[in-house]
Structure formats: structure tokens, C-alpha cells
Amino acid sequence: MPILDLYGHSEKRKNLAHFAAIASLAAIDGEINPAEQKVIDRFAVKLDISGAEYREVMKKENKYPIEAPYESEERLERIYDLFKIIYADHDIDEDEYRMIKKYALALGYSPAKAEKIIKRSIILFRGKFDFEDYLYVMKRKKD
């Protein structure tokens, strides 16, 4: 049984899905380097991933695809969720920035659009906006 099936549609499932996607992104180019490992470990703590869940997700044979929603609002919500996790410690470092950019690209954004979304998100998260405000700003600024 897949590990995500254990949690139904709870917050735990959502956190585990985010963690699995992040781990898969880190491993996409082969091995996970030390900087990526550090980010993965921080996300495991922020997402309250247990040791057993961590080991299961990190198995080499496990690859968790990132399902890119068709709807723009759903893709932005995934980015928003990841930013909430990143900003749990009130900051974003270079490794987290690279990881969220990989995530945005995997969700189907072009490199230029991903960069704009990330930069706007950083500005918004430093001001602690809620999702409705975030969504409004992201949809309003079409450039």
C-alpha cells in the first residue's frame, strides 16, 4: 500500500505529499547532494514527517510524481503551501529558493513565470498575507 494511502485527505497527507515531491525533485538529477539533503531534512521537521515516513519516501525505488494541476489557482495553492512551510522559520535561504524553483517548474510554470511567482511570493510572505490576498495579487499582476 502506498504510504500516502494511510492518511486519507488530512493535513498529514498533504504534508507527506509535499515532502515526497520535494524529495523526488532533489533526486531528479541522480544523487541528492549535501545541500539538498539539508533542505530535505529541514522540510521533514517543518512538515512533521516521522522517521518511518522519511525512510519510506527516501527509498531509491520510490519516486513520487508531482501532479501538476490544470487549474492555475490549484498550482498557486501548492506554491503557497510550500512557501508557508519555508517561512515557518521566517526566512528563505538559497537552497530553499532553488528547491521551490524546481517545484514551480515541475508544476508547469516556465522559468520566467516561476521566477516572477517566487519573487512576488517572497515579498508577500515577508508581509504575512493570507491565501486570498496572495491569490488576488498573483492573478492581478499578469505580465
Side-chain angles (χ1 to χ4, degrees):
M1 165 170 39
I3 193 166
L4 292 177
D5 289 348
L6 298 174
Y7 299 103
H9 294 288
S10 68
E11 186 71 21
K12 182 67 177 175
R13 177 184 166 85
K14 189 173 170 181
N15 286 351
L16 191 53
H18 276 305
F19 181 73
I22 292 162
S24 292
L25 281 172
I28 206 159
D29 55 0
E31 293 298 314
I32 295 173
N33 68 42
E36 290 169 328
Q37 186 65 55
K38 206 167 90 177
V39 173
I40 289 169
D41 291 345
R42 278 199 312 262
F43 276 118
V45 171
K46 289 178 181 181
L47 293 168
D48 194 29
I49 303 300
S50 72
E53 292 163 341
Y54 184 96
R55 287 187 296 280
E56 182 65 27
V57 167
M58 298 305 288
K59 287 180 182 175
K60 285 188 187 261
E61 65 271 12
N62 286 342
K63 298 292 180 233
Y64 298 93
I66 298 173
E67 297 174 15
Y70 177 74
E71 295 293 324
S72 175
E73 186 172 323
E74 290 177 33
R75 286 187 286 155
L76 284 174
E77 187 172 12
R78 294 212 183 157
I79 297 287
Y80 173 81
D81 287 343
L82 195 50
F83 265 99
K84 282 191 339 189
I85 295 160
I86 289 170
Y87 271 89
D89 62 2
H90 309 290
D91 198 21
I92 183 171
D93 64 27
E94 287 182 40
D95 296 325
E96 289 170 328
Y97 189 96
R98 280 192 295 278
M99 190 67 69
I100 199 158
K101 185 164 184 185
K102 282 184 181 181
Y103 193 69
L105 294 171
L107 287 174
Y109 291 108
S110 69
K113 184 69 173 176
E115 198 67 37
K116 286 178 186 176
I117 289 170
I118 292 166
K119 286 182 178 181
R120 288 178 185 158
S121 296
I122 289 170
I123 290 166
L124 292 172
F125 270 85
R126 286 186 177 146
K128 303 204 185 233
F129 286 78
D130 64 19
F131 180 65
E132 288 76 27
D133 292 335
Y134 176 81
L135 186 60
Y136 171 76
V137 170
M138 292 309 222
K139 284 185 168 183
R140 194 188 87 199
K141 300 216 178 222
K142 304 247 184 205
D143 33 55

